């Protein structure tokens, strides 16, 4: 069974940092590109970052570029999101999302999310 | 950036009724459009990809259609478990990957 389990969320002050982790199991992690998607309370979905299988290709949404860093460790079946210079508008539920293996790579599995709250 | 506009924002229907959800793109996305279902406390689920292909395990009552800029998700006969929020997403021209604002299907 495919499982994506996020952790690392919590309450952080504006300007602070947080590192999210996603533990993957039930599939060959190194065969899938991965993403982070977030959802602010009561709002819709926002894609924020993508990493290819080898991390050779990485993309960010404009809203987080320069502040967030995506990374992965295929040996540990894990995806990470380092979040710096956090703002109130970064408050959201953060989802770890797997891409399918067939182009154009839809989001075929989602984690349940970890909540990040940025507030003083 | 491709903007996806979903309508209506809320659809109030009874079990057994037909639901028709719309997703319009600001420019062509060819057929590279997906639909996802979100229910409280559950992981999001991929329903439809490539505009009209059902994902693994998705019941036949869910169908997708369209290409270019106009897409439709149809639920032929609503089951109690289908009341949820539905999002469309394009994968034709990215980054950024973009989602529609969502349509909530609620019980009338």
């Amino acid at each position: 069974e495919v499982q994506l389990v996020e952790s690392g969320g919590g309450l952080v002050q504006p300007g602070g940092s947080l590192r999210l982790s996603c533990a993957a199991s039930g599939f060959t992690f190194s065969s899938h590109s991965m993403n982070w998607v977030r959802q602010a309370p009561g709002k819709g979905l926002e894609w924020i970052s993508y990493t290819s299988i080898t991390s050779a290709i990485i993309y960010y949404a404009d809203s987080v570029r320069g502040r967030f860093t995506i990374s992965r460790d295929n040996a540990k079946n894990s995806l990470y999101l380092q979040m710096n210079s956090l703002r109130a508008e970064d408050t959201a539920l953060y989802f770890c999302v797997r891409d399918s293996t067939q182009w154009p790579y839809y989001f075929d599995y989602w984690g349940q999310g970890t909540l990040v709250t940025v507030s003083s | 950036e491709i903007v996806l506009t979903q309508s209506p924002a809320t659809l109030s229907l009874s079990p057994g009724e037909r639901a028709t959800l719309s997703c319009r793109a600001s420019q062509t996305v060819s057929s590279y459009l997906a639909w996802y279902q979100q229910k409280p406390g559950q992981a999001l689920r991929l329903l439809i990809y490539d505009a009209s292909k059902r994902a693994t395990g998705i019941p036949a009552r869910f169908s997708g259609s369209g290409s270019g800029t106009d897409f439709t998700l149809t639920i032929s006969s609503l089951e109690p478990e289908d009341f949820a929020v539905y999002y469309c997403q394009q994968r034709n021209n990215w980054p950024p990957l973009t989602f529609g604002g969502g349509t909530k299907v609620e019980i009338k």
Side-chain angles (χ1 to χ4, degrees):
Chain A
E1 179 193 5
V2 173
Q3 288 197 41
L4 297 167
V5 180
E6 303 92 339
S7 61
L11 175 64
V12 61
Q13 292 188 338
S17 297
L18 216 51
R19 189 192 195 209
L20 305 185
S21 299
C22 171
S25 61
F27 66 100
T28 304
F29 181 71
S30 58
S31 295
H32 293 261
S33 49
M34 298 293 296
N35 302 265
W36 288 98
V37 173
R38 69 184 180 184
Q39 185 172 37
K43 302 296 184 182
L45 301 168
E46 179 189 16
W47 167 83
I48 57 172
S49 189
Y50 161 94
T51 176
S52 63
I53 290 170
T54 63
S55 305
I57 300 172
I58 285 176
Y59 296 124
Y60 297 100
D62 288 347
S63 58
V64 305
R65 187 178 295 111
R67 301 188 298 122
F68 289 12
T69 302
I70 191 172
S71 62
R72 64 188 295 163
D73 186 334
N74 288 341
K76 294 183 178 179
N77 294 333
S78 293
L79 179 72
Y80 306 100
L81 186 68
Q82 176 67 43
M83 304 187 296
N84 298 331
S85 304
L86 283 160
R87 307 166 179 166
E89 54 265 36
D90 295 318
T91 294
L93 189 61
Y94 284 74
F95 299 103
C96 169
V97 189
R98 189 184 89 164
D99 275 345
S100 61
T101 52
Q102 288 185 298
W103 188 87
Y105 314 123
Y106 295 104
F107 297 156
D108 65 351
Y109 280 93
W110 297 63
Q112 298 217 5
T114 186
L115 182 63
V116 172
T117 303
V118 184
S119 174
S120 55
Chain B
E1 171 177 333
I2 295 178
V3 176
L4 299 178
T5 302
Q6 290 187 240
S7 61
T10 304
L11 200 50
S12 298
L13 295 168
S14 301
E17 289 193 293
R18 182 183 189 89
T20 304
L21 288 67
S22 174
C23 177
R24 177 164 290 177
S26 59
Q27 56 187 276
T28 184
V29 299
S30 186
S31 294
Y32 302 129
L33 187 108
W35 291 91
Y36 301 90
Q37 180 191 62
Q38 184 175 36
K39 294 196 279 189
Q42 296 186 23
L44 276 91
R45 183 169 66 151
L46 173 66
L47 299 175
I48 301 288
Y49 66 97
D50 287 349
S52 62
K53 298 175 182 176
R54 273 190 301 276
T56 303
I58 302 304
R61 64 181 181 273
F62 290 92
S63 63
S65 63
S67 66
T69 61
D70 290 292
F71 300 87
T72 300
L73 174 69
T74 302
I75 311 171
S76 59
S77 178
L78 283 164
E79 297 288 338
E81 61 266 28
D82 299 336
F83 291 92
V85 181
Y86 294 84
Y87 293 94
C88 59
Q89 180 234 341
Q90 66 85 19
R91 198 109 190 196
N92 182 60
N93 188 350
W94 67 284
L97 290 162
T98 52
F99 292 90
T103 291
K104 181 179 182 180
V105 179
E106 66 176 23
I107 299 176
K108 186 173 182 180

